[in-house]
Amino acid sequence: MGREIYFKMESIERKSLLYKSKVEYADFCLNHVEGCSHGCRYPCYAYMMKKRCGVIKTYEEWCRPKIVSNALKLLDKEIPKYKDKIEYVHLCFSTDPFMYRQKQVGDLSLKIIDKLNANDIRCTVLTKGVFPRELYKRNDFSGNNEYGITLVSLDENFRKAFEPHSANFKDRIDALRYLHKKGLKTWISMEPYPTPNIIRQDLIEILEAVSFVGQIIFGRLNYNVKSSEFKYSKEFYNSLAASVIKFCKKNKISYHVKKGTQS
Ligand code: SF4
């Protein structure tokens, strides 16, 4: 595992934090960082949107995250306002809550999760980083949270090309397995799954590596030029979605295939 980065990150203030997500499997969401040092090259949908709106100007700027310094204060104001409407809060869709080697981000994420849990609000958490071990011993309520990693390959060359500054797959999986062994709920976001003209790989091998999790979400790769050149996407994703479903049923794992993946 790599060294943590201790330089002080730039910060911004926001006017609001919690919002109702439009993502099909999500409820409320929050993003307490602007940008993400993982710098995914799928491309990253959040980066594309922020660039389109003029919030971020360059890829390099996106990769230098800025922490939302008033995130905890905003939560104090917003939790009472939304509490009755919230089923759970997802961290995060537009950044990564356990960004690899970014201790400041992880520390704030832990405080946010603790605050939500102290208000009886459960969290779903998704990272391409390494979950800290202390997540398992937070408080009684934290057992309701669900911790997930993104995993679309086991090939480190692929990761270096598409998720260049994320945690390596082994460390990511090991940290998730540790939380699972401690009795916490775990899941996998297998999205955006690449087409075979980008990488040839064995889906079952990837599924086997994380067969301990409670849920798998499977989704196709969008917005990628090379992937769009692949002529048999429809057949490919239909076949893979069927394999994911079969594997999950056999292993008693709940699953969700994202809209537009199967046709
Ligand atoms: S981890 Fe998520 S938010 Fe960060 S660059 Fe990758 S896709 Fe974007």
Side-chain angles (χ1 to χ4, degrees):
M1 223 183 288
R3 281 181 305 116
E4 301 280 5
I5 291 176
Y6 287 102
F7 68 81
K8 190 144 170 49
M9 211 173 254
E10 274 182 62
S11 64
I12 54 165
E13 290 217 341
R14 288 231 171 105
K15 292 201 169 77
S16 62
L17 199 68
L18 284 167
Y19 66 96
K20 178 85 178 158
S21 169
K22 292 195 178 108
V23 175
E24 64 196 77
Y25 61 84
D27 184 37
F28 273 74
C29 184
L30 63 80
N31 298 292
H32 51 298
V33 184
E34 183 80 61
C36 178
S37 57
H38 289 163
C40 297
R41 297 276 198 184
Y42 289 107
C44 167
Y45 182 75
Y47 162 64
M48 286 198 309
M49 290 300 108
K50 296 276 179 177
K51 199 163 173 231
R52 189 175 295 173
C53 301
V55 177
I56 298 281
K57 289 189 180 52
T58 61
Y59 172 78
E60 289 68 28
E61 186 187 346
W62 173 256
C63 292
R64 281 194 307 273
K66 301 180 190 79
I67 207 140
V68 177
S69 59
N70 61 338
L72 293 167
K73 275 191 195 154
L74 285 171
L75 271 186
D76 286 336
K77 267 206 312 203
E78 292 178 358
I79 287 173
K81 191 168 149 195
Y82 295 120
K83 197 173 170 183
D84 294 343
K85 297 190 182 90
I86 295 175
E87 195 190 328
Y88 61 91
V89 173
H90 180 75
L91 290 78
C92 305
F93 282 124
S94 298
T95 188
D96 193 306
F98 289 100
M99 217 175 279
Y100 190 48
R101 296 179 173 179
Q102 302 283 11
K103 185 172 173 359
Q104 221 180 317
V105 172
D107 287 350
L108 181 56
S109 299
L110 288 175
K111 286 180 187 158
I112 287 173
I113 293 167
D114 285 349
K115 193 177 274 293
L116 290 165
N117 286 172
N119 283 277
D120 296 341
I121 297 170
R122 69 186 177 90
C123 303
T124 62
V125 190
L126 180 62
T127 189
K128 290 189 183 83
V130 175
F131 278 124
R133 292 191 161 205
E134 63 257 43
L135 273 169
Y136 92 90
K137 50 184 176 186
R138 306 303 288 178
N139 53 51
D140 288 346
F141 192 87
S142 65
N144 295 300
N145 298 334
E146 295 173 25
Y147 301 99
I149 58 167
T150 303
L151 191 77
V152 295
S153 181
L154 296 172
D155 185 317
E156 279 299 305
N157 289 325
F158 172 85
R159 183 189 66 76
K160 285 172 193 162
F162 283 86
E163 306 172 1
H165 309 297
S166 63
N168 73 55
F169 292 133
K170 185 179 179 307
D171 288 349
R172 225 184 276 186
I173 296 169
D174 285 352
L176 191 70
R177 190 185 289 107
Y178 178 83
L179 296 184
H180 163 75
K181 283 190 178 157
K182 292 292 180 186
L184 297 182
K185 295 174 192 159
T186 53
W187 61 289
I188 294 293
S189 170
M190 197 169 268
E191 188 205 7
Y193 195 89
T195 45
N197 61 335
I198 293 175
I199 181 171
R200 289 199 169 269
Q201 55 182 4
D202 180 358
L203 170 77
I204 299 300
E205 195 190 335
I206 305 169
L207 290 167
E208 294 282 3
V210 289
S211 60
F212 59 87
V213 299
Q215 188 186 28
I216 293 175
I217 292 174
F218 181 74
R220 60 174 294 155
L221 173 58
N222 293 306
Y223 318 111
N224 180 285
V225 177
K226 192 149 187 213
S227 172
S228 65
E229 287 166 359
F230 182 62
K231 283 188 190 152
Y232 307 104
S233 287
K234 189 174 151 189
E235 295 80 359
F236 175 70
Y237 284 117
N238 278 343
S239 160
L240 261 59
S243 298
V244 170
I245 293 169
K246 190 173 167 200
F247 182 90
C248 288
K249 283 184 176 166
K250 187 175 155 213
N251 291 283
K252 298 188 172 45
I253 298 169
S254 66
Y255 60 86
H256 176 84
V257 176
K258 284 196 75 183
K259 274 184 206 151
T261 300
Q262 259 179 319
S263 49

